[in-house]
Amino acid sequence: MCGIVGYIGERQAVDVLIKGLKRLEYRGYDSAGVAVVNGQLSVHKKNGKVGELAKVLKTTRVIGTLGIGHTRWATHGVPSDANAHPHLASDGSFALVHNGIIENYNAIRERLTRSGFVFHSQTDTEVLTKLIEDVRNTTGLALPEAVRQALTQVVGTYGIAIVAEGEDDLLIAARKGSPLILGVGDGEYFLGSDAAPLIEYTRQVVYLNDGEMVVVSRGKFEVSTIDKKEVDPQIHELEWDLEQIEKGGYTHFMIKEIFEQPKSLANCMRGRVRADENIVMLGGLVDHMDSLSKADRIIICACGTSWHAALVGEYVIESLARIPVEVEYASEFRYRNPILRKGDAVLVISQSGETADTLAAVRQAQGQDIPVYGIVNTVGSTIARETDAGVYLHAGPEIGVASTKAFTAQVTVLTMIATKIAQTRGLPEDQSRAILKGLEELPDKVQSVLNLNGQIRAIAGVYRYAQNFLYLGRGYNFPVALEGALKLKEISYIHAEGYPAAEMKHGPIALIDQFMPVVFLAMKDSTYEKVISNIEEVVARKGCVIAITDEGNGELDKLCEHVIRVPKTIEELAPILTSIPLQLLAYHIAVMRGCDVDQPRNLAKSVTVE
Ligand code: G6P
C-alpha cells in the first residue's frame, strides 16, 4: 500500500527511483512522483501509473544523485496530480513521501490553517509535511530534529522519506506501522518499502523497526528511535535475487507465479519433509512445539487469501491434531475484544508480513501474553520479526496482486504444522506417512494440473462474458470455493461468490439459471455423493456446471458442461491441487476481458493501512 523509494550516492537518482517505483508498483498505482536534489529541489508527479511519470521524466532531464519517490494507493483524496506525492513545504524547502495514514490530520490541518498555512491537496501527507515545517519554523531546529518532534505529535501510521533543498547530503526516513528498508551499498544507500527496489544494487539491508528513524548521508547512516535513543542497526543479507522479481518471459507476474508452483512448493518443503522416515522438521518451531501441541485452542488470524488458507488450516489441524481451532479475520479480531486464555496459541498467516490488521492481531495477542507464531513469505518483514517464532513459506517473491503460489505454500505449511503437532499427540504412523508422502508427491501433481492450462483457457473463452459465477465445495474444498471466487472477482471484476455446496439451498440457488456458471469442487472424498446431489440440483435449474474432480473419474461427464480432472491426492491436500485450475480460470477470463491482471483496479498487494 503505497511504495516508497529513496537513493543517495553517485548514480543519477531518477533512474534508480523510477526503476524502484516500477518494482514497487504492486503496492499502489494511482499516481507517482519523485523529488531529486541538486542544490535545488526538482519535483515531478503525475496521476496514473509509474509509466506516466516515466514518460514525463524522459522529456525533462532531472539531474541529481539524491532523491525520493512514491507510488500511491489513494486513501485521503482522489488520485490526482495534486494529491500525488511528494508533498512540499510551503516555501518549497523540503519534500516528503508517505505510506500510511495520519489519523489526527484533520485537527492538525485546522490548527495549521489558523496559523496561516494553505493546503493544496486533500491528503494527510501534506498535513504532516506542513506540521514538520511549522515545528522547524517555530523551534529553529534542524530538519532531522524537526521531523522527530513533529512525529511525536501525530497519531497513525507512517513510513516517510524526506529530502531538502540545498541539502545534497541528507536523506531522512522514519517508520511506524509501515515498512521501510535501508539498502547499504558502497558509498551509496537505498530506501525501499520492501526489498524489490534494492535487490539489483545490494544484498545488505537494515530493516527499520517501528518507531525508528534513519539519517543518511553518502558516508554513513545513523539509526535512532524517534524519541532519540541510539540504535545499533543489524545488517541482514537478502535472500531473494533479481531474477525472482522479474517476469522471465511470462506476460504477467500472476501466470509466472501460477506456473512456479511446482518449484515454490518444493522449496517450501525442502529439508522439512521426509516421508520414508516419517519426519517433518520445522526449524523455526522446534523450541515451541510443546506450547503448540499442548495448546487448548489455536486461533488463526489472517486477511484475504491468507484467511482462506487459514480455513483449510482449521480443518486439517482439527482433523489430524484434534485441537480446537478458530479462524478470525485479523481486522475483526483486533477490535472485538476477543477472549484469550492461558493455553491458547495464535497463528498468523501473511504473504507480505506487513498487513496492518494482521500485525495488529499479533500485538493484541502478545499484549495478553499469548504466544504468536507466524506463517510468512517475506523474510525480514514486520510480522516475521515481531512474532515469537514461525515458519517461512520460501515461495519466493509474489508480485501479482492476486495471491496464488503463496496460498498453496500456506496450505502446505499448515499441513506440515498440523502433522507435526499430530505426531506428538499420537497420530498413527501410517496416517502420518501417508500425509508426508502426499506432500512429497505434490510438486509433480501440481505440474500435471498446470498441464491442463489449454483446457482451462478454452473453458475461460466460453464464460468470459458471464456476469456472475458461483463456486461451491465442501469440507477441505469449501475454502477453495471461497478462494476461487475471490480470484475471479479480484482480477476480472466478475461478481463471484463461494459457498459451502450444501448451503446453496439456503439462498444462492435462487440465482441459478442458464446464464449462471457454477464451479463445483467434486473430488471423490467423503463428501462426494453429497456434492453430486448438489450438482444435480444446479443442473435441474439449467445452471452450467464446471466440475473439478479426480483423474479417472468419468461419472460427471454426462451431468456437467465441463470436467477438469486433477491427480488424486489425500483429502487434506486436495486444496493445493484444486485451487490451481481456479487460479488459471480467473487468469484467462481476466486476460480475455482485457483486465490489468497484475494490477487490478483499487487493489494493492500489501495492505499496510486499516
Ligand atoms: C491483499 C492482497 C491479497 C492478500 C491480502 C492479505 O488484499 O491483495 O492477495 O491475500 O492482502 O495479505 P497478506 O500479505 O497478509 O497475506
Side-chain angles (χ1 to χ4, degrees):
M1 200 134 287
C2 293
I4 291 179
V5 288
Y7 177 71
I8 180 164
E10 299 289 316
R11 302 170 202 258
Q12 284 305 317
V14 84
D15 301 335
V16 180
L17 298 178
I18 290 296
K19 229 176 183 184
L21 288 179
K22 285 199 169 147
R23 297 229 154 98
L24 283 182
E25 210 169 11
Y26 63 83
R27 298 180 66 88
Y29 27 85
D30 289 332
S31 63
V34 294
V36 173
V37 187
N38 186 15
Q40 301 281 310
L41 249 185
S42 165
V43 177
H44 296 270
K45 38 195 206 170
K46 190 90 192 96
N47 195 22
K49 294 192 173 186
V50 178
E52 298 302 313
L53 174 71
K55 271 188 223 156
V56 173
L57 292 172
K58 261 200 184 127
T59 54
T60 333
R61 210 162 146 61
V62 180
I63 306 289
T65 54
L66 162 64
I68 54 176
H70 186 269
T71 178
R72 178 167 186 249
W73 186 86
T75 57
H76 296 59
V78 295
S80 67
D81 287 354
N83 288 333
H85 302 208
H87 287 279
L88 283 173
S90 325
D91 58 2
S93 59
F94 66 89
L96 179 148
V97 291
H98 168 222
N99 167 204
I101 291 181
I102 305 301
E103 289 170 9
N104 57 343
Y105 83 104
N106 240 330
I108 300 173
R109 184 175 169 136
E110 278 168 20
R111 173 162 64 80
L112 293 174
T113 306
R114 282 197 298 275
S115 321
F117 280 91
V118 177
F119 290 87
H120 305 287
S121 78
Q122 301 150 299
T123 64
D124 51 339
T125 306
E126 191 188 4
V127 174
L128 175 59
T129 311
K130 291 190 167 148
L131 174 67
I132 294 170
E133 182 182 3
D134 185 48
V135 171
R136 189 197 57 186
N137 293 350
T138 50
T139 60
L141 287 169
L143 189 57
E145 292 313 307
V147 169
R148 203 188 286 284
Q149 210 176 96
L151 289 178
T152 61
Q153 298 180 37
V154 300
V155 177
T157 56
Y158 51 79
I160 55 167
I162 299 172
V163 289
E165 189 163 71
E167 298 275 8
D168 284 45
D169 207 19
L170 177 67
L171 171 63
I172 305 168
R175 73 159 277 189
K176 184 179 160 219
S178 304
L180 267 187
I181 300 180
L182 179 74
V184 180
D186 190 8
E188 58 181 352
Y189 296 98
F190 305 83
L191 265 184
S193 294
D194 66 27
L198 330 173
I199 254 172
E200 189 172 342
Y201 311 101
T202 180
R203 310 191 70 78
Q204 311 286 310
V205 298
V206 174
Y207 297 105
L208 283 193
N209 289 311
D210 259 0
E212 285 180 359
M213 172 168 165
V214 62
V215 179
V216 193
S217 64
R218 282 178 186 75
K220 63 173 194 260
F221 68 95
E222 276 171 13
V223 184
S224 57
T225 61
I226 286 160
D227 53 7
K228 227 177 164 174
K229 292 191 191 85
E230 257 182 53
V231 172
D232 185 16
Q234 303 285 308
I235 297 190
H236 297 264
E237 177 95 13
L238 285 177
E239 275 191 3
W240 293 345
D241 57 38
L242 190 59
E243 196 189 307
Q244 287 177 298
I245 58 165
E246 295 191 325
K247 283 192 205 143
Y250 286 92
T251 338
H252 298 100
F253 280 111
M254 181 177 177
I255 192 73
K256 175 188 178 227
E257 287 157 8
I258 292 173
F259 272 84
E260 271 173 357
Q261 287 174 108
K263 198 167 130 206
S264 57
L265 291 178
N267 288 340
C268 175
M269 289 185 279
R270 193 176 309 285
R272 290 172 165 172
V273 175
R274 289 214 299 272
D276 52 347
E277 294 168 67
N278 193 27
I279 287 177
V280 51
M281 259 295 295
L282 297 166
L285 290 181
V286 164
D287 297 332
H288 301 266
M289 240 22 240
D290 214 40
S291 120
L292 260 175
S293 55
K294 290 191 182 138
D296 297 325
R297 182 173 68 144
I298 294 175
I299 299 158
I300 316 182
C301 294
C303 303
T305 288
S306 299
W307 185 81
H308 295 153
L311 289 179
V312 181
E314 174 182 17
Y315 284 37
V316 77
I317 295 171
E318 288 201 343
S319 153
L320 298 180
R322 307 304 298 153
I323 297 178
V325 177
E326 281 173 32
V327 175
E328 297 256 8
Y329 283 115
S331 53
E332 288 297 311
F333 179 81
R334 61 182 294 192
Y335 286 120
R336 66 168 192 78
N337 194 13
I339 299 171
L340 291 169
R341 293 185 223 100
K342 198 170 174 305
D344 287 342
V346 169
L347 278 179
V348 291
I349 308 178
S350 176
Q351 187 289 127
S352 62
E354 301 293 350
T355 302
D357 286 321
T358 310
L359 179 58
V362 171
R363 292 173 180 165
Q364 161 112 342
Q366 284 176 334
Q368 295 183 48
D369 281 335
I370 304 296
V372 184
Y373 306 111
I375 299 175
V376 172
N377 195 32
T378 307
V379 176
S381 56
T382 311
I383 293 175
R385 284 180 293 131
E386 291 204 10
T387 40
D388 297 287
V391 181
Y392 278 122
L393 300 182
H394 293 312
E398 190 181 69
I399 292 172
V401 166
S403 185
T404 52
K405 64 176 179 173
F407 174 77
T408 47
Q410 287 163 344
V411 173
T412 302
V413 165
L414 284 159
T415 311
M416 289 192 281
I417 293 176
T419 312
K420 183 80 194 169
I421 299 175
Q423 283 179 340
T424 67
R425 293 169 64 96
L427 181 72
E429 195 178 318
D430 55 342
Q431 208 183 334
S432 168
R433 279 182 194 274
I435 293 160
L436 299 182
K437 187 159 171 288
L439 282 167
E440 283 181 345
E441 289 170 354
L442 275 178
D444 287 346
K445 291 187 177 175
V446 166
Q447 188 54 56
S448 306
V449 181
L450 294 172
N451 295 344
L452 303 172
N453 187 34
Q455 184 202 358
I456 297 167
R457 193 192 296 117
I459 297 173
V462 178
Y463 298 103
R464 60 192 285 195
Y465 298 115
Q467 293 189 342
N468 297 287
F469 254 83
L470 204 54
Y471 288 74
L472 301 174
R474 298 182 81 145
Y476 289 99
N477 277 308
F478 157 53
V480 177
L482 296 179
E483 176 58 9
L486 177 65
K487 285 293 83 95
L488 189 71
K489 275 190 274 228
E490 280 181 308
I491 59 170
S492 73
Y493 318 137
I494 294 175
H495 171 247
E497 283 191 59
Y499 256 87
E503 277 292 305
M504 175 186 72
K505 297 187 283 297
H506 302 288
I509 199 164
L511 301 171
I512 291 170
D513 60 15
Q514 69 272 34
F515 303 113
M516 174 68 98
V518 185
V519 178
F520 266 98
L521 295 141
M523 302 305 285
K524 286 204 118 182
D525 58 20
S526 51
T527 61
Y528 179 68
E529 298 303 332
K530 309 279 174 203
V531 172
I532 298 291
S533 308
N534 299 139
I535 296 179
E536 296 275 10
E537 289 154 13
V538 168
V539 171
R541 286 157 184 87
K542 299 198 172 66
C544 322
V545 175
I546 304 163
I548 318 285
T549 192
D550 305 74
E551 245 166 35
N553 180 12
E555 291 166 12
L556 301 176
D557 293 13
K558 281 215 183 92
L559 204 54
C560 305
E561 216 84 22
H562 310 275
V563 180
I564 299 168
R565 293 179 183 82
V566 303
K568 265 190 193 324
T569 182
I570 54 168
E571 200 163 344
E572 291 85 346
L573 297 176
I576 295 168
L577 299 184
T578 55
S579 57
I580 294 172
L582 307 191
Q583 296 170 350
L584 287 168
L585 184 67
Y587 173 77
H588 289 302
I589 290 180
V591 171
M592 287 171 188
R593 288 166 72 97
C595 298
D596 190 341
V597 170
D598 283 336
Q599 292 167 355
R601 69 181 178 210
N602 305 339
L603 295 178
K605 179 85 186 146
S606 174
V607 181
T608 53
V609 294
E610 285 191 47

